[in-house]
Amino acid sequence: MSQAPRVRILLSETYNPWFNLATEDWIFRELDPSAQTLFLWRNDNTVVIGRNQNPWSECNLTRMEEDKVFLARRTSGGGAVFHDLGNTCFTFLSAKEGYNKTANITILLDALSRLGVKAQASGRNDLVIPLEDGPRKISGSAYRETKDRAFHHGTFLIGADLTRLSNYLTPHPKKLESKGSASVRSRVMNIRDLQPEASHEALVEAMIGAFCDFHGATAEPELLEPSFLESQPSLKRTFDHYASWDWRFGNAPRFSHQMVEYLSWGFFEVHVDAENGHVTRAQVFSDALYPDLVQDLQAALVGKPHSRDGMRQAVAEARSRHPAQERELGELEAWLMGQVEV
Ligand SMILES: Nc1ncnc2c1ncn2[C@@H]1O[C@H](COP(=O)(O)OC(=O)CCCC[C@@H]2CCSS2)[C@@H](O)[C@H]1O
C-alpha cells in the first residue's frame, strides 16, 4: 500500500507582497519533495502582475502611486490582479510527480462548499459563480514549473474593494504598444456577497480541512514569523529582488510609447521604444522654435529609464546646453514625467 503523502501547511503573518512572494519562492526552493505543501497568505494594497507583463499597459501607475499601492511582479504567468485584505492567496507546492492541478481544483471547490458557496472551474484558470446574467470570477490562478518542482497559486475574492480593483487595473490612457501577455479582464464578485459570513479566517480553516481530507493526512499549521524569515539570508536577497525597480519595471517586455501634447511653446510628439524599461530609441517631432534643443532632447532620452527619473535626467542634459530655455524645459519635463507615471 502506498503511504499517504505528508502535508505541510504554512501561514504568513505579513501583508507585504514582496515579502510574501519572496517567502513563497523560499518555500519553493527549500521544498520537502515528499510533502504536499499549502501556503496561505494575504497582501494588502497591491497589484500583482504576471512574469511577462508590462506594468505601464496593465495598471494605472499614477493612481497606484497616489494611493501608495504596491506593484509586485510574480514569477508565474497570467494577468494582473488587485489584492487587499479582502483577498486571500493560496499556493499549492509539490515535487513535479506529486503535482496535480485537477486535485488542487477539487480542494478549492471543496473549501468553498464548506463555506456554503457553490463555484465552478471555468476555462483554465478561474473559479466562477454562475449567475443568471453570466459567470462572475471569484478566483484566478497561475502556475510555475521548474525541472523537478511545481506550484499553483491563486486568489480568492472574499470581500475586496472592487472599485479599487477596477481603478488600478484600468491603465491611464496612453498610446502604448507592448509585447508580452495581456490580462483577461473578467466580471468579478466577492464571495461575501453570496455568503456574508465568509472571512479570511473561515476560508483558511476550510482550505486546511479540504487539503488535509483530500490527502488523508493532518498537520499543525506553521506560522511563518517575519523575524525568522528576515534572518534567512537567501530570503532577504529574494525580497530585495522582488522590491527592485529592475524586476518590477525593468523586466517589462519590449514596448513603444507615443506621447503627444501642445505645450505653450510648441507641439510635441515624442516616440520612444523601450527595452528592459530603458529607452533604446527616441524620436522627437516639434514645431517649436528651438530645433537644436529638440535634437538634444532626442539624443538625451536614449539609454534613460522610462521613468520620471529618466525623463528628469534627459531634460537636465538638454537644460545644460540650453540654459536660456529654463521655463520651456520645465514645462516639457513636467509633461514627460506625467506620461511615464513612475
Ligand atoms: N484578486 C483577484 N482575484 C480574482 N480575479 C481578479 C482579482 N483582481 C482582478 N481580477 C480579475 O481578473 C482579471 C485578470 O485575470 P487573468 O486571468 O488575466 O489573471 C489572473 O487571474 C492571474 C491570477 C494570479 C494569481 C496570483 C496568486 C498569488 S500572487 S497573484 C482582472 O482583469 C480582473 O478582471
Side-chain angles (χ1 to χ4, degrees):
M1 224 169 64
S2 68
Q3 270 216 318
R6 226 160 52 76
V7 293
R8 217 174 152 205
I9 297 156
L10 302 164
L11 307 177
S12 164
E13 295 205 300
T14 71
Y15 305 140
N16 178 310
W18 304 329
F19 197 77
N20 278 328
L21 285 166
T23 302
E24 183 187 59
D25 216 278
W26 175 80
I27 299 169
F28 192 51
R29 272 182 286 120
E30 308 273 310
L31 197 69
D32 169 356
S34 68
Q36 290 283 344
T37 302
L38 173 66
F39 175 44
L40 295 168
W41 44 300
R42 276 194 291 181
N43 296 321
D44 200 5
N45 253 328
T46 298
V47 170
V48 187
I49 57 173
R51 190 190 55 227
N52 296 316
Q53 289 202 296
N54 186 329
W56 285 278
S57 57
E58 290 299 329
C59 38
N60 194 312
L61 296 167
T62 303
R63 282 197 188 131
M64 285 167 61
E65 184 163 283
E66 276 163 16
D67 298 349
K68 302 212 171 356
V69 172
F70 287 97
L71 175 75
R73 182 190 294 279
R74 55 183 194 267
T75 51
S76 61
V81 286
F82 169 69
H83 297 171
D84 61 13
L85 295 184
N87 178 91
T88 297
C89 295
F90 61 83
T91 315
F92 296 104
L93 310 101
S94 67
K96 221 148 165 188
E97 308 92 77
Y99 178 63
N100 182 346
K101 215 157 92 180
T102 316
N104 297 342
I105 292 171
T106 305
I107 294 168
L108 296 171
L109 293 176
D110 179 21
L112 285 168
S113 82
R114 289 172 191 231
L115 297 183
V117 174
K118 294 217 172 334
Q120 297 174 351
S122 141
R124 282 183 27 249
N125 307 322
D126 297 348
L127 299 183
V128 299
I129 303 292
L131 294 187
E132 264 172 26
D133 62 347
R136 297 289 178 96
K137 176 170 175 177
I138 53 164
S139 166
S141 283
Y143 316 91
R144 179 171 173 207
E145 285 187 24
T146 60
K147 196 161 50 49
D148 59 344
R149 52 197 71 193
F151 74 61
H152 165 182
H153 61 188
T155 62
F156 276 118
L157 287 168
I158 300 177
D161 186 331
L162 301 185
T163 306
R164 298 182 72 208
L165 178 151
S166 147
N167 282 345
Y168 302 133
L169 299 181
T170 305
H172 207 266
K174 54 178 134 16
K175 286 192 185 162
L176 198 141
E177 277 175 43
S178 182
K179 305 238 180 270
S181 44
S183 305
V184 183
R185 291 189 163 76
S186 304
R187 294 176 75 199
V188 290
M189 76 178 287
N190 278 314
I191 295 169
R192 211 174 267 160
D193 292 335
L194 289 169
Q195 194 47 269
E197 257 108 81
S199 63
H200 170 73
E201 291 71 23
L203 186 78
V204 164
E205 202 184 309
M207 278 291 286
I208 293 175
F211 180 71
C212 289
D213 284 358
F214 185 90
H215 291 295
T218 52
E220 257 322 285
E222 301 166 48
L223 286 186
L224 293 173
E225 296 275 343
S227 55
F228 164 73
L229 294 168
E230 274 157 21
S231 71
Q232 303 291 310
S234 73
L235 199 140
K236 168 79 178 84
R237 272 197 306 278
T238 319
F239 171 84
D240 290 342
H241 169 72
Y242 277 108
S244 70
W245 195 92
D246 280 354
W247 171 247
R248 296 179 306 131
F249 295 98
N251 219 51
R254 235 183 304 145
F255 65 98
S256 58
H257 187 179
Q258 297 191 23
M259 310 170 235
V260 181
E261 187 66 294
Y262 287 94
L263 298 180
S264 66
W265 52 293
F267 171 75
F268 274 82
E269 197 170 324
V270 176
H271 294 199
V272 298
D273 291 343
E275 232 175 291
N276 301 322
H278 287 71
V279 177
T280 50
R281 206 174 79 102
Q283 282 182 298
V284 183
F285 307 100
S286 174
D287 62 1
L289 278 179
Y290 314 105
D292 291 353
L293 182 156
V294 170
Q295 279 304 307
D296 288 341
L297 174 72
Q298 178 170 294
L301 281 166
V302 176
K304 302 292 181 300
H306 182 268
S307 68
R308 287 210 295 259
D309 255 0
M311 297 304 110
R312 199 180 290 121
Q313 286 166 34
V315 173
E317 281 178 32
R319 192 177 266 136
S320 68
R321 310 182 98 206
H322 304 273
Q325 270 65 61
E326 175 59 37
R327 184 191 65 78
E328 289 84 351
L329 283 165
E331 196 190 348
L332 184 70
E333 181 183 61
W335 169 60
L336 288 172
M337 284 170 65
Q339 292 294 300
V340 297
E341 297 190 81
V342 286

